[in-house]
């Protein structure tokens, strides 16, 4: 059966990664969480003192880029996890602190160029489901299936808040809502590769949709594209 490229873009916490992972499992495709790559670079910048509350030392980060190795490795359960210079940072990159700084880091063109190059490599043989902000517009503009996911900011913040609490983080809902709306704004107004719906993307608002219904809708779209029906 022919393999295709599936691009899933959208605002933060729209459940892109959940459906992308389900789809990749079902189709036996590779799943790539491109946001994890931006998060890993952000963690590196934080750990190396390139980020303070008021300033990001962009020059130092750009100079350090050749020393930053980001890669996915599968854990025992088969789930891909993010490694930064050989260290498993899957949990560390999901912290609220990384979420606060990742959008400004993702505006830096040199960072984007490095990560987009890696993303191209991961998808060169097709059979990939990649989620992010610019996958259908910049990384794989020729993807056979493009999905653009949306949901209300309150619904998304609620989902993210419950996720963070479940893993033991102490956060306030208001703080999460503020982070979600700030990131939406920064991700969609930046100069380089802003978040926007590709002309040929299918928009799915999942504010009132359960995970199963959402998965079946998107899976059907994928099956149609694989069969060349649409
Ligand atoms: O999907 P996420 O919330 O883990 O992504 C974290 C940040 O990374 C997001 O706020 C913007 C940035 N990002 C990006 O600019 N381009 C991508 N393809 C993926 C993520």
């Amino acid at each position: 059966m022919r393999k295709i490229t599936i691009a899933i873009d959208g605002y933060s916490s729209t459940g892109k990664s959940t459906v992308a992972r389900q789809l990749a499992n079902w189709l036996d495709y590779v799943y790539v969480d491109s946001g994890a790559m931006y998060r890993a670079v952000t963690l590196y910048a934080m750990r190396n003192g390139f980020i303070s509350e008021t300033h990001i030392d962009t020059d130092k980060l750009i100079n350090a880029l050749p020393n930053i190795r980001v890669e996915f490795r599968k854990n025992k359960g088969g789930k891909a996890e993010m490694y930064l210079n050989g260290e498993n940072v899957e949990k560390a990159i999901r912290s609220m602190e990384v979420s606060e700084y990742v959008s400004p880091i993702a505006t830096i063109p040199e960072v984007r160029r490095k990560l987009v190059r890696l993303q191209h490599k991961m998808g060169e043989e097709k059979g990939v489901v990649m989620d992010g902000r610019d996958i259908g517009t910049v990384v794989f503009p020729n993807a056979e299936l493009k999905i653009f996911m949306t949901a209300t900011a309150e619904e998304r913040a609620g989902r993210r808040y419950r996720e963070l609490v479940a893993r033991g983080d102490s956060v306030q809902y208001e703080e999460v809502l503020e982070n979600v709306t700030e990131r939406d704004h920064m991700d969609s107004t930046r100069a380089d590769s802003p978040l926007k719906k590709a002309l040929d993307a299918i928009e799915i608002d999942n504010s009132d949709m359960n995970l199963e219904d959402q998965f079946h809708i998107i899976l059907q779209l994928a099956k149609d594209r694989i069969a060349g029906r649409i």
Side-chain angles (χ1 to χ4, degrees):
M1 208 188 301
R2 82 171 180 136
K3 286 190 183 267
I4 64 167
T5 301
I6 302 177
I8 303 190
D9 289 303
Y11 296 100
S12 49
S13 304
T14 37
K16 302 182 295 293
S17 59
T18 304
V19 76
R21 189 173 282 119
Q22 285 173 318
L23 214 51
N25 277 345
W26 203 94
L27 296 168
D28 199 18
Y29 278 21
V30 172
Y31 163 58
V32 180
D33 170 3
S34 68
M37 302 167 77
Y38 290 91
R39 287 172 178 273
V41 172
T42 305
L43 183 67
Y44 182 95
M46 284 164 52
R47 285 178 171 178
N48 286 274
F50 303 159
I51 299 181
S52 72
E53 256 187 41
T54 50
H55 180 68
I56 294 179
D57 195 329
T58 307
D59 290 341
K60 276 198 182 146
L61 176 57
I62 292 171
N63 284 333
L65 282 175
N67 308 325
I68 305 179
R69 203 174 74 247
V70 294
E71 61 189 328
F72 291 99
R73 290 188 203 163
K74 284 198 172 170
N75 68 15
K76 284 191 189 115
K79 182 175 171 272
E81 295 185 327
M82 173 49 64
Y83 281 72
L84 170 62
N85 291 341
E87 175 195 346
N88 185 330
V89 291
E90 184 59 34
K91 181 149 193 257
I93 59 169
R94 314 283 168 195
S95 72
M96 204 47 209
E97 211 187 346
V98 171
S99 297
E100 265 162 34
Y101 293 114
V102 64
S103 284
I105 294 293
T107 64
I108 303 170
E110 288 82 356
V111 170
R112 304 202 68 82
R113 231 174 291 144
K114 175 182 171 103
L115 298 186
V116 169
R117 214 171 30 239
L118 290 171
Q119 290 154 11
H120 278 156
K121 262 201 205 132
M122 294 171 182
E124 68 192 355
E125 291 180 15
K126 300 219 169 206
V128 67
V129 186
M130 194 174 292
D131 77 0
R133 303 294 188 288
D134 61 342
I135 311 304
T137 50
V138 174
V139 182
F140 296 125
N142 297 323
E144 287 85 352
L145 176 60
K146 299 180 187 178
I147 304 287
F148 190 82
M149 312 248 303
T150 64
T152 63
E154 289 73 18
E155 177 61 34
R156 292 184 283 123
R159 292 174 190 165
R160 183 93 191 101
Y161 170 74
R162 287 188 291 276
E163 235 172 66
L164 287 165
V165 169
R167 62 172 230 166
D169 287 7
S170 90
V171 286
Q172 301 293 318
Y173 167 79
E174 288 72 25
E175 180 191 1
V176 178
L177 178 61
E178 195 180 312
N179 175 256
V180 161
T181 44
E182 264 175 20
R183 278 205 288 145
D184 287 353
H185 178 71
M186 203 173 285
D187 294 346
S188 43
T189 55
R190 68 180 174 224
D192 188 345
S193 320
L195 165 66
K196 61 171 189 238
K197 180 178 168 292
L199 285 176
D200 51 350
I202 296 167
E203 184 165 338
I204 294 189
D205 182 333
N206 64 12
S207 304
D208 298 312
M209 215 181 259
N210 69 35
L211 287 180
E212 212 179 315
D213 292 345
Q214 165 179 286
F215 172 60
H216 285 293
I217 290 170
I218 301 178
L219 177 62
Q220 190 55 51
L221 290 168
K223 284 180 176 170
D224 288 344
R225 297 299 156 101
I226 292 167
R229 281 195 285 271
I230 42 174

